[in-house]
Amino acid sequence: MVTSSLEPISVRLRQARVGRGWSQPRLVRELRQAALRRGHQLPSDASVKRRIASWENGHSTPDDFYGPLLCEAYDLTAAELGLNHEGARDTEILDATYPASPEGAIDTVGQLWRADLNRYEPLLQAEPSEPAWNEASLRWLVAPEPAIPRPRREGMRVGFGDVAAIKTTADMFAELDDRFGGDHARHAAVQYLSTEVTPLLRGQYTEQVARALFSTVAEATLLAGWMSYDACRHGLAQRYFLQALRLAQDANDRRLAGSILSAMSHQATFLGRYTQAATLARAALMGISPVATPTLRAQFHAMEARALARTGDVRGCEAALTAATKALESRNNDDEPEWISYFDEAELAAEAAHCFRDVNSARKAVAHAENALSGSHVRSDFFATMVLADAHLRAGDIEEACRVALDALDLGEQLKSARCVSYLAEFRQNLAVIGHTPDVQSFEEQARQHRLWIASDDGVNV
């Protein structure tokens, strides 16, 4: 198709569609397929069709998300469609890719923060990309020497005081996340990163400051990933994890990078991608082997065990748990990074409880879950308590399962966490198999008074 550069965008778009003999519904299907290849989901067909009509009638122009999809669907360049090149590039930045350079990481993470802050629908609805997990872990494992951005002559001067301010603020958001769930302060955390941290990344700094800055921002971006994961914004969470990994690479912070791969493994298991989850955990252990601390090794082994349990590999799961236990026994807290201090005996017991529940060793799951309550981490205690309830249910102790589940609902009353709702939904499915016994009926009457239970009933986020 040849179009004049003087023709309005609306005319070019209409000619591109009509020239292929496509109806508007056909274009909707093509756009949806292009979006899926990029790891995105589109809204309803009617909504997309209204957008197409608006573009072709000249009432609006394709935005930074739809422009590249149109180019891909029509196999035309942005220039041929009259679209803005910069707009087309912005959506590529939002794809689940591992940046090729430190400058790319700065651009990408800034775009992510801004799009998330503006509640950019395609990003919030994005699906995780399985190839992205493999690509990121491989590229990190074989990465060359860490790099930092070329010196800048513009922007604010950044020092260690600025880095300390980011660290303190991120710690505050981490505490809020722990106490109230990922959806409580997630938007505020992203707003801070977008408005306050972006100018620092684009500022002027020495190499020493750059390493500290990148490491601290990687940790804060990892937190944004965890909060998004807890909110079940899985495509967004994966994209944050990818950018955090690249920033940690450029900071030469191998330990933090390994922990980020471990977070990816955790998410992959939750999503049912067990092979990828085990691979990510092993890559974390391999990648930081020379500098791994006992606690980090314990965490990575535990993540591998969680994935193997879901595949039914009992022997492999138990071997990984044994390795995790031995590693944790040799730890020296003075030598551990501050951000891994939460992973203690109670946390490992919680991971083991998940594993034994998943391999149908109900009594072992009960024993470990009873040792998993920390008393200081609200959401972790909620998860451990729900696993304990599940374990009692699988062991045939329905009355105790219901009693423990009520304890979990009390714990979770202040949590805004879609992931917590998913644990309750799973418990409800298992409870439904039992039938309406007196214990179950009594429990459900009391459970209806709790916000998380109502959310699991409606299938909505909280």
Side-chain angles (χ1 to χ4, degrees):
M1 179 189 74
V2 179
T3 61
S4 168
S5 61
L6 299 179
E7 290 176 339
I9 294 175
S10 59
V11 173
R12 298 192 197 192
L13 293 175
R14 191 181 310 112
Q15 287 181 348
R17 178 176 61 79
V18 174
R20 284 160 176 72
W22 291 358
S23 63
Q24 288 187 348
R26 167 68 185 276
L27 179 55
V28 171
R29 292 195 299 272
E30 296 291 336
L31 290 174
R32 193 173 298 284
Q33 290 175 8
L36 287 174
R37 287 192 291 271
R38 293 168 173 257
H40 298 299
Q41 285 186 331
L42 297 187
S44 68
D45 286 359
S47 175
V48 180
K49 188 176 178 181
R50 284 195 297 271
R51 288 177 182 268
I52 294 171
S54 178
W55 301 333
E56 294 185 355
N57 291 328
H59 299 313
S60 65
T61 56
D63 61 17
D64 295 343
F65 174 73
Y66 283 98
L69 297 184
L70 285 165
C71 292
E72 184 173 333
Y74 288 138
D75 193 24
L76 294 171
T77 66
E80 288 174 315
L81 289 175
L83 303 178
N84 184 290
H85 282 282
E86 290 299 312
R89 187 175 63 86
D90 285 347
T91 295
E92 294 175 3
I93 291 175
L94 297 181
D95 289 342
T97 56
Y98 192 69
S101 67
E103 289 83 6
I106 291 173
D107 287 344
T108 302
V109 79
Q111 290 282 355
L112 280 172
W113 292 335
R114 185 166 66 251
D116 187 2
L117 184 61
N118 292 331
R119 305 185 190 279
Y120 191 38
E121 182 183 11
L123 177 64
L124 297 180
Q125 293 184 353
E127 292 293 324
S129 164
E130 290 192 30
W133 281 317
N134 297 328
E135 179 195 10
S137 58
L138 178 60
R139 290 184 63 179
W140 174 72
L141 283 170
V142 301
E145 288 298 312
I148 60 171
R150 292 183 297 274
R152 300 173 185 267
R153 295 183 178 179
E154 300 176 342
M156 62 189 300
R157 292 190 177 276
V158 183
F160 288 111
D162 299 299
V163 177
I166 298 173
K167 172 64 176 171
T168 300
T169 307
D171 287 346
M172 178 194 71
F173 282 120
E175 182 177 352
L176 293 173
D177 171 56
D178 183 47
R179 291 181 59 189
F180 301 111
D183 245 351
H184 172 71
R186 199 187 74 81
H187 193 72
V190 173
Q191 183 175 38
Y192 170 75
L193 292 170
S194 182
T195 59
E196 301 296 330
V197 176
T198 297
L200 298 177
L201 288 174
R202 298 184 184 280
Q204 302 178 59
Y205 33 74
T206 65
E207 181 174 344
Q208 291 77 15
V209 170
R211 302 286 187 219
L213 176 65
F214 276 38
S215 180
T216 302
V217 177
E219 188 179 342
T221 306
L222 171 61
L223 173 62
W226 274 114
M227 296 172 90
S228 301
Y229 168 22
D230 197 50
C232 288
R233 301 285 189 185
H234 289 296
L236 175 61
Q238 184 195 47
R239 286 154 176 78
Y240 278 136
F241 290 152
L242 292 171
Q243 305 316 312
L245 184 63
R246 174 70 215 209
L247 290 167
Q249 174 190 323
D250 293 322
N252 198 24
D253 194 337
R254 302 292 290 180
R255 291 173 175 176
L256 179 58
S259 191
I260 294 165
L261 286 179
S262 180
M264 292 182 184
S265 173
H266 197 293
Q267 183 192 30
T269 293
F270 184 84
L271 294 172
R273 275 69 164 210
Y274 309 127
T275 300
Q276 288 87 346
T279 298
L280 286 163
R282 291 164 183 155
L285 188 60
M286 178 187 302
I288 73 164
S289 182
V291 295
T293 66
T295 304
L296 285 170
R297 287 199 300 271
Q299 184 191 58
F300 303 160
H301 284 303
M303 290 304 98
E304 181 184 11
R306 285 282 298 270
L308 295 177
R310 285 289 192 171
T311 68
D313 184 355
V314 178
R315 181 177 296 179
C317 171
E318 291 183 342
L321 284 176
T322 298
T325 302
K326 288 181 178 179
L328 200 60
E329 288 172 350
S330 65
R331 81 184 186 280
N332 180 348
N333 288 332
D334 293 337
D335 297 330
E336 298 287 346
E338 177 188 352
W339 40 261
I340 197 62
S341 60
Y342 77 94
F343 197 89
D344 54 15
E345 287 82 1
E347 193 72 20
L348 181 56
E351 302 296 351
H354 279 85
C355 291
F356 287 116
R357 178 201 63 176
D358 293 339
V359 298
N360 294 317
S361 294
R363 293 304 176 190
K364 286 184 178 180
V366 168
H368 284 281
E370 288 175 341
N371 293 324
L373 302 180
S374 67
S376 57
H377 299 291
V378 178
R379 185 179 48 207
S380 294
D381 285 351
F382 172 88
F383 290 141
T385 306
M386 281 309 306
V387 171
L388 179 59
D390 265 332
H392 279 302
L393 196 63
R394 298 186 187 201
D397 194 344
I398 301 170
E399 181 180 2
E400 184 65 7
C402 292
R403 185 193 68 76
V404 172
L406 286 174
D407 289 342
L409 287 169
D410 288 335
L411 273 172
E413 196 62 26
Q414 64 188 23
L415 292 170
K416 295 187 68 175
S417 164
R419 194 155 50 108
C420 289
V421 172
S422 73
Y423 272 62
L424 282 169
E426 184 176 4
F427 180 76
R428 292 185 71 149
Q429 291 174 359
N430 295 334
L431 200 63
V433 177
I434 305 298
H436 288 287
T437 68
D439 287 331
V440 172
Q441 289 179 334
S442 175
F443 163 75
E444 290 182 340
E445 288 174 4
Q446 297 176 74
R448 291 190 190 103
Q449 308 304 314
H450 293 272
R451 184 171 55 86
L452 284 179
W453 187 261
I454 295 171
S456 71
D457 186 38
D458 295 339
V460 299
N461 292 346
V462 291

